[in-house]
């Protein structure tokens, strides 16, 4: 879906693209295949090492920078497209992140981002989601509240162990986007099926 939106905007042009929170470089690789110039930024050095390995056959068009989405170490008005996949839900302050994405985006450019939906249709009728996962979440919430002195460190994003993930309802961040000069062009829902009952697919 991300690549569909990118192709639709690019229309066979070569663009300068920022993949913020690039992780192991999966999206970067697909973008590079299309002939774009990509800067991958991630807070984890381990993830950047993986991204270099994933994209090593495209060394001329890829740049890798260790950095934080809340303080992107790049000049403003620099990119035609900003891609942000699976990042905002792990932040303590998404306001700074949205402002930074807008700062580095060129006028007329687009941001392509993903947000997890709190109303996952596939879970509505599944007691596993409410009982088993609910109890685990409650325990996790109590435990982390009692042990919340330490904040996330860059290495946590390499091990993928200690994330605190939030979910959003549709349109929840629209006001934040608009206040930063970002306006919704198109939205797509992904990963909404199949329906399950105790994790077994039935529809």
């Amino acid at each position: 879906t991300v690549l569909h939106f990118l192709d639709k905007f690019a229309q066979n042009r070569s663009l300068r693209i920022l993949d913020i929170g690039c992780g192991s470089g999966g999206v970067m690789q697909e973008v590079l295949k299309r002939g774009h110039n990509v800067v991958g930024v991630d807070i984890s050095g381990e993830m950047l090492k993986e991204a270099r390995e994933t994209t090593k056959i495209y060394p001329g068009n890829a740049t890798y920078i260790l950095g934080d989405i809340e303080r992107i170490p790049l000049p403003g008005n620099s990119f035609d497209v900003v891609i942000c996949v699976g990042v905002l839900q792990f932040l303590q302050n998404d306001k700074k992140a949205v402002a930074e994405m807008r700062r580095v985006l060129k006028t007329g450019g687009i941001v392509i981002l993903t947000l997890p939906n709190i109303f996952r249709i596939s879970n509505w009728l599944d007691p596993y989601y409410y009982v088993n996962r609910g109890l685990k979440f409650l325990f996790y919430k109590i435990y982390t509240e009692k042990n919340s002195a330490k904040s996330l460190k860059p290495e946590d994003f390499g091990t993928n162990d200690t994330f605190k993930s939030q979910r959003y309802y549709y349109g929840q961040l629209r006001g934040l986007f608009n206040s930063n000069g970002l306006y919704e062009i198109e939205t797509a829902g992904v990963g909404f099926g199949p329906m399950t009952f105790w994790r077994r697919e039935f529809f």
Side-chain angles (χ1 to χ4, degrees), residues 48-130:
L48 286 178
K49 287 180 183 177
E50 291 191 31
R52 287 179 185 275
E53 183 66 23
T54 301
T55 61
K56 63 184 178 183
I57 62 172
Y58 308 101
N61 294 330
T63 306
Y64 314 87
I65 297 176
L66 187 68
D68 185 346
I69 190 174
E70 296 179 12
R71 293 176 296 277
I72 300 174
L74 293 163
N77 197 34
S78 302
F79 295 94
D80 302 297
V81 178
V82 174
I83 295 175
C84 180
V85 175
V87 178
L88 287 191
Q89 63 263 33
F90 299 121
L91 304 179
Q92 295 179 346
N93 190 333
D94 49 25
K95 296 180 178 62
K96 290 181 181 179
V98 172
E100 278 290 272
M101 286 191 287
R102 178 62 187 93
R103 181 184 66 80
V104 300
L105 186 69
K106 291 180 181 178
T107 301
I110 62 169
V111 175
I112 304 173
L113 62 86
T114 64
L115 295 171
N117 191 342
I118 196 169
F119 300 111
R120 292 185 61 179
I121 294 174
S122 58
N123 296 138
W124 280 3
L125 301 179
D126 194 334
Y128 178 87
Y129 181 71
Y130 300 102

Side-chain angles (χ1 to χ4, degrees), residues 125-142:
L125 301 179
D126 194 334
Y128 178 87
Y129 181 71
Y130 300 102
V131 178
N132 187 294
R133 295 278 301 277
L135 290 173
K136 286 182 179 179
F137 175 79
L138 182 62
F139 173 80
Y140 173 80
K141 192 75 174 170
I142 293 170

Side-chain angles (χ1 to χ4, degrees), residues 179-199:
S179 67
N180 283 281
L182 297 171
Y183 300 94
E184 183 180 317
I185 299 172
E186 193 170 349
T187 303
V190 296
F192 283 105
M195 300 288 280
T196 63
F197 185 84
W198 211 256
R199 296 195 300 170

Side-chain angles (χ1 to χ4, degrees), residues 30-50:
E30 295 301 320
V31 172
L32 287 165
K33 285 179 183 178
R34 288 160 165 75
H36 302 296
N37 293 292
V38 186
V39 176
V41 176
D42 204 279
I43 197 171
S44 167
E46 290 300 315
M47 288 289 98
L48 286 178
K49 287 180 183 177
E50 291 191 31

Side-chain angles (χ1 to χ4, degrees), residues 2-16:
V2 169
L3 295 171
H4 165 75
F5 286 143
L6 174 61
D7 293 342
K8 190 173 180 180
F9 177 74
Q11 295 185 352
N12 298 317
R13 297 174 294 163
S14 179
L15 302 177
R16 181 166 164 79

